[in-house]
Amino acid sequence: MATTGDMCAVTYEQLAAMEQEFSEVETELIRQQVTLCAPLYDRRAALVEQIPNFWPLVFEQAPIEIDTHLNPVDSRLLLSALRNFSVHHFEPEIDPRSVRFRFEFDSNEYFSDQVLEKTFWWRTRRDSSWTGLVSDAIAIHWKDPEKDLTRGFLDLACAAGFSVAPGSPPPPTGRTPEQTALQAAIDDRGIGGLSFFAWFGYQGPRISDTETAEAMESVKACRQTGKKTESDEAEDEPGVKAERDALEKLEIFPNGDELAVALAEDLWPGAVKYFLQAQEEDDVSDADFVSDNASDDEVPELCEDVQHVDSKKGQDNIQNVNIEDSGEAEVEDLEDQRPTKKRRAK
């Protein structure tokens, strides 16, 4: 039986290069999917725009990967003020995994922003030791310090952060006073239980578009030579890694990239499913709503009885959608087609 001590002509670099080729194929498949689905999402947006409270109800039924980050105040704010939500893969030719989130809000008691946008770029470290989503910290204009759902951490993250948008200058070496202040706040108060809105402060590793391009060139060179490049070896030095790790501890929302993936790959494509689950949970028959016989002209009429959420009373005031029976199918025959009610984690 072969052991790890036996001589082998295959190097780890060759295996890594092969994995990179598989990754490139997967990326191309994502690119094709993004291109094909874009017009469908546009058509869906035109339909759901006619349904009051569509996106608040979708977030109310969000999967556990998202729901776990929503505290009661977050949920109440989304239910009462969220007007629209969208996801856009804005650079499919460069990397289709880069994504931008747009939240549109009605007037609310917490912040004055009507639109909050957060952009994520897919980046790769020079030595290919890390690849994933990075972002810039986005400020929220709170109406009062007492209304700041992030307890001041978002403002500190914005002051301490450096942009990784294409063309941005490299961050300075060493720790800045703003980063020291953020670290002190994290050590003193902790970030456990922070609001969903602290997610707008997620940054991730400070990897520029230039470094990512160099990483891709390094991968190509590795395929040809089967060896690491000099820049890869330098990146592995202990001093470089220690400085990098110290900066990454400054995150106020450490798993912000995972939440971004859940929003883009689960909630966004599954929005109609979650909306229908919300209707079922309110004991509303949605059989006619999903019927193929319902014409586009009927949609506004079907939605006339959907009431707006009362921001003071929260979820209990979300009224049922009254949908008249078309008479073309018995409800009993459609029971098996209705979505399964979600069991929400408490």
Side-chain angles (χ1 to χ4, degrees):
M1 180 177 179
T3 66
T4 55
D6 294 338
M7 295 297 294
C8 180
V10 178
T11 66
Y12 287 109
E13 286 74 18
Q14 288 175 311
L15 292 175
M18 177 59 67
E19 286 299 299
Q20 179 62 31
E21 290 189 54
F22 279 111
S23 177
E24 290 173 0
V25 171
E26 292 174 359
T27 301
E28 182 58 32
L29 292 175
I30 295 173
R31 181 177 290 110
Q32 294 297 324
Q33 182 183 32
V34 166
T35 302
L36 293 173
C37 288
L40 298 179
Y41 284 130
D42 290 341
R43 288 166 54 193
R44 187 186 72 177
L47 286 175
V48 304
E49 186 179 10
Q50 304 173 66
I51 307 174
N53 302 320
F54 177 86
W55 286 109
L57 288 170
V58 170
F59 271 87
E60 197 276 333
Q61 288 292 313
I64 189 63
E65 293 82 4
I66 299 171
D67 186 67
T68 190
H69 297 293
L70 297 172
N71 63 38
V73 177
D74 297 332
S75 297
R76 185 164 61 249
L77 175 55
L78 292 175
L79 283 168
S80 63
L82 182 63
R83 184 172 68 251
N84 195 19
F85 170 71
S86 60
V87 175
H88 178 50
H89 296 268
F90 60 93
E91 53 177 22
E93 296 306 318
I94 299 175
D95 198 308
R97 292 166 292 190
S98 296
V99 63
R100 178 176 294 123
F101 301 91
R102 179 182 174 90
F103 296 78
E104 299 176 29
F105 291 91
D106 291 323
S107 178
N108 62 82
E109 63 178 294
Y110 293 97
F111 49 78
S112 59
D113 305 89
Q114 291 187 328
V115 175
L116 293 176
E117 282 192 349
K118 188 164 179 64
T119 300
F120 288 79
W121 294 273
W122 189 269
R123 297 285 169 79
T124 301
R125 187 166 277 146
R126 185 175 288 104
D127 63 353
S128 299
S129 62
W130 188 93
T131 185
L133 293 170
V134 302
S135 184
D136 289 347
I138 303 300
I140 296 178
H141 300 91
W142 307 102
K143 291 185 175 180
D144 186 275
E146 296 297 324
K147 298 294 184 181
D148 184 347
L149 300 179
T150 70
R151 311 198 314 263
F153 277 106
L154 181 56
D155 290 342
L156 289 170
C158 290
F162 294 94
S163 178
V164 291
S168 298
T173 58
R175 181 166 293 195
T176 66
E178 292 81 6
Q179 291 172 337
T180 300
L182 175 57
Q183 184 66 69
I186 292 175
D187 294 340
D188 181 47
R189 293 185 280 150
I191 57 175
L194 272 187
S195 164
F196 165 83
F197 291 91
W199 174 70
F200 287 91
Y202 169 80
Q203 299 177 77
R206 303 289 79 193
I207 302 174
S208 67
D209 55 332
T210 301
E211 181 175 344
T212 297
E214 292 174 356
M216 296 299 98
E217 289 299 321
S218 177
V219 168
K220 293 179 182 178
C222 180
R223 288 178 185 171
Q224 296 174 354
T225 64
K227 298 179 180 179
K228 282 188 176 183
T229 64
E230 292 182 2
S231 61
D232 291 338
E233 298 291 349
E235 194 72 13
D236 287 336
E237 293 179 0
V240 174
K241 186 177 186 301
E243 180 180 350
R244 185 174 66 205
D245 292 344
L247 290 176
E248 290 176 7
K249 290 181 180 179
L250 294 177
E251 288 290 349
I252 66 171
F253 205 104
N255 54 349
D257 53 341
E258 296 176 6
L259 178 55
V261 170
L263 288 168
E265 298 184 3
D266 191 338
L267 189 81
W268 174 246
V272 171
K273 174 187 69 176
Y274 291 123
F275 172 75
L276 294 179
Q277 286 181 356
Q279 294 304 305
E280 184 182 65
E281 197 164 88
D282 287 336
D283 295 324
V284 175
S285 173
D286 49 46
D288 289 344
F289 185 84
V290 297
S291 172
D292 293 336
N293 296 321
S295 66
D296 291 343
D297 294 337
E298 291 175 306
V299 173
E301 180 181 354
L302 295 178
C303 299
E304 285 179 355
D305 291 328
V306 180
Q307 303 297 319
H308 287 284
V309 177
D310 186 329
S311 61
K312 295 182 179 179
K313 297 182 180 179
Q315 179 183 351
D316 292 337
N317 278 347
I318 300 176
Q319 302 298 316
N320 294 340
V321 180
N322 296 324
I323 302 176
E324 295 181 359
D325 189 352
S326 65
E328 297 178 3
E330 294 296 327
V331 174
E332 291 80 6
D333 295 336
L334 296 174
E335 281 297 319
D336 293 338
Q337 300 178 24
R338 299 178 67 187
T340 303
K341 184 179 293 185
K342 176 183 175 185
R343 297 183 180 274
R344 297 178 60 80
K346 299 297 183 182

